[in-house]
Amino acid sequence: MRSLLRNQQPVFYKLYEGQEEIVDEWGNPTGSYVPIYSELKSTMLCVSPNKGNSEVEQFGSLEDYDRTATTADPHCPIDENSVLWVDGADTDGPYNYIVKRKAPWKNSTQYAIKRVTVSEYEAEKSLFDQKVKAEAAYANHQAETEYGLHQSGVEGSQGVPEEG
């Protein structure tokens, strides 16, 4: 029954690929890291309306999840580090769920998913934006050092001081 198309909905996801350290404008490591995710992908999952109590606890004593998602594909690549856009969430905006636990079985896989707030996404996006700005500033610094350029502009038409 879980694999009936009428019970499924499109879910967009990104897989966690690692993290990258943020460097400041001078190329020094800051000690902060930003997660790196894959390209946006989609799949069809059966997402429960909400978490309820049942006699069989699929995820043991894990209480830190809101809903479950199930697929009949035991090879679905979504894992415990993936981020999800569920219930038609705008994929240009923040993800609205994270995967807390994965429970594979012979012919299906079930996920415990937890709703997250936009502020978590914004904090992560802020770190990423910091990283991009620092890399740009570092590139400018390298160009200034290597070619003797100044932020105020290039002297003369070809980087040579004009004589006057």
Side-chain angles (χ1 to χ4, degrees):
M1 294 295 264
R2 290 185 300 255
S3 63
L4 285 175
L5 188 56
R6 68 183 279 176
N7 293 338
Q8 297 178 5
Q9 64 174 290
V11 173
F12 294 89
Y13 65 94
K14 287 186 178 183
L15 301 174
Y16 179 76
E17 294 183 336
Q19 59 185 5
E20 189 172 320
E21 187 169 21
I22 299 173
V23 295
D24 64 13
E25 57 270 11
W26 299 282
N28 301 317
T30 62
S32 297
Y33 292 85
V34 63
I36 306 297
Y37 291 101
S38 70
E39 293 297 316
L40 188 68
K41 299 174 185 175
S42 69
T43 190
M44 297 294 285
L45 298 176
C46 178
V47 181
S48 70
N50 58 13
K51 182 176 97 173
N53 293 331
S54 67
E55 294 302 316
V56 177
E57 293 183 16
Q58 178 72 24
F59 297 100
S61 62
L62 175 69
E63 295 291 330
D64 193 26
Y65 69 98
D66 300 316
R67 299 167 79 179
T68 60
T70 308
T71 181
D73 178 9
H75 304 292
C76 183
I78 296 174
D79 61 15
E80 292 161 343
N81 297 311
S82 300
V83 293
L84 308 172
W85 285 259
V86 180
D87 296 332
D90 182 15
T91 56
D92 290 332
Y95 51 86
N96 59 353
Y97 281 86
I98 58 172
V99 178
K100 295 298 282 185
R101 191 73 49 98
K102 178 180 179 177
W105 183 241
K106 295 179 196 175
N107 59 358
S108 68
T109 303
Q110 189 170 17
Y111 303 96
I113 60 176
K114 179 173 177 54
R115 186 164 184 78
V116 293
T117 61
V118 175
S119 62
E120 292 174 18
Y121 172 81
E122 292 300 327
E124 186 175 287
K125 188 173 185 301
S126 172
L127 282 174
F128 182 75
D129 290 344
Q130 242 183 336
K131 173 185 169 289
V132 170
K133 286 179 185 175
E135 287 175 351
Y138 181 68
N140 283 340
H141 176 72
Q142 289 295 90
E144 289 174 6
T145 303
E146 193 169 327
Y147 300 109
L149 301 176
H150 300 289
Q151 279 294 75
S152 61
V154 177
E155 302 166 341
S157 62
Q158 304 205 2
V160 179
E162 293 182 27
E163 295 181 21

